[in-house]
Amino acid sequence: MDKIGYLKESALFEGLPPSDIDEISDSIEMSNYPKGRIIYQPDDPGDILFILKRGRVRIYRLSAEGKELTLTELGAGTIFGEMSLFGQTMYGSFAEAIEDCVICVIDKVRATQMLEEKPAISLRLAEILGRRLLSAENKLENLALRDVPKRLASLLIELFGSIDGSSKAYRYTHEDLAKMIGTSRESVTLAISEFKNKGWISISDHHITLTDIQALKDFIN
């Protein structure tokens, strides 16, 4: 797919006329990031807006002890690095390609101009930021108020409940899951075993299937 095709799939540019898409595409660079590459890290100047067109990106932070906490995982069509548009650095976060990625890159000057000239894009960005704020608040509540098994149950529903309970789209290790809920791999392994013994999940070929989503929801509440 060419650059214009990628942009049309982004929520940020949804509904824009083709002439606007063509104009925007002229000032956007496309870059390839192999799996494992760090796209940005803390204190980078933040002069770029990224649009993920293929692959997945993990946004995470490090604790003072060097422990990773995954803030979010992003899929194709999403934007990140948006705080650069408000004169901020990357706020102590890392962005890592967890699959081979194709990313559209817009420098801050052009992105700011784009928002000023096209109010529809500004509204889209506001909607995206609003959803992310709500998601961040929910994650904070989950970390602060729930124990590890309930945090894990909530995460499994979030990751797999929208695809008929199947994790076949992506494979997550116990370490991956632990980083998402701020705990140890051993704690996740214990909770996974508990859920499996209760018949709430099943595991085949290292993939998780939610066999009783309602039971997981009842457990959380």
Side-chain angles (χ1 to χ4, degrees):
M1 187 183 297
D2 61 15
K3 189 191 307 182
I4 293 176
Y6 281 133
L7 295 179
K8 288 179 179 178
E9 288 189 349
S10 172
L12 187 61
F13 304 118
E14 184 179 351
L16 286 183
S19 58
D20 285 351
I21 296 290
D22 291 342
E23 178 185 346
I24 292 168
S25 70
D26 291 338
S27 57
I28 290 179
E29 299 291 333
M30 291 184 66
S31 299
N32 294 298
Y33 291 83
K35 180 180 178 179
R37 174 72 60 84
I38 298 298
I39 301 165
Y40 65 70
Q41 56 190 341
D43 300 324
D44 278 357
D47 293 331
I48 299 174
L49 177 68
F50 302 93
I51 304 173
L52 178 58
K53 301 321 302 172
R54 187 168 68 238
R56 286 193 298 152
V57 167
R58 179 171 73 105
I59 309 297
Y60 68 95
R61 291 187 179 184
L62 291 179
S63 70
E65 298 77 25
K67 184 176 180 180
E68 295 181 10
L69 175 62
T70 298
L71 302 178
T72 188
E73 286 191 7
L74 305 174
T78 54
I79 67 169
F80 59 104
E82 66 278 354
M83 293 309 297
S84 67
L85 302 182
F86 307 103
Q88 305 296 324
T89 64
M90 295 310 179
Y91 270 120
S93 298
F94 294 79
E96 176 191 11
I98 53 177
E99 293 178 350
D100 291 342
C101 293
V102 176
I103 298 176
C104 296
V105 180
I106 313 175
D107 68 75
K108 180 181 176 180
V109 173
R110 180 63 185 107
T112 301
Q113 180 185 10
M114 179 180 67
L115 294 176
E116 291 174 348
E117 295 177 350
K118 305 185 188 304
I121 299 178
S122 297
L123 289 174
R124 295 285 185 193
L125 180 60
E127 292 172 359
I128 292 169
L129 293 179
R131 289 195 296 270
R132 288 192 180 169
L133 177 60
L134 179 60
S135 176
E137 290 175 346
N138 290 337
K139 186 177 183 70
L140 181 60
E141 179 183 8
N142 196 35
L143 289 172
L145 302 179
R146 291 172 175 161
D147 58 20
V148 169
K150 289 185 178 180
R151 297 205 306 259
L152 180 61
S154 178
L155 176 64
L156 293 178
I157 292 170
E158 177 185 348
L159 291 176
F160 308 141
S162 62
I163 47 175
D164 299 324
S166 173
S167 66
K168 293 181 180 179
Y170 305 115
R171 171 181 170 177
Y172 293 95
T173 67
H174 290 193
E175 183 68 23
D176 293 333
L177 298 173
K179 290 176 181 177
M180 293 182 193
I181 60 173
T183 190
S184 66
R185 179 186 58 78
E186 293 79 7
S187 295
V188 166
T189 298
L190 288 173
I192 287 286
S193 296
E194 177 186 348
F195 295 170
K196 183 179 177 182
N197 291 337
K198 291 181 176 180
W200 298 349
I201 66 173
S202 64
I203 301 175
S204 176
D205 191 27
H206 302 288
H207 290 100
I208 298 172
T209 298
L210 308 191
T211 53
D212 194 339
I213 295 178
Q214 188 58 52
L216 286 168
K217 290 180 178 178
D218 292 343
F219 174 66
I220 294 169
N221 297 324

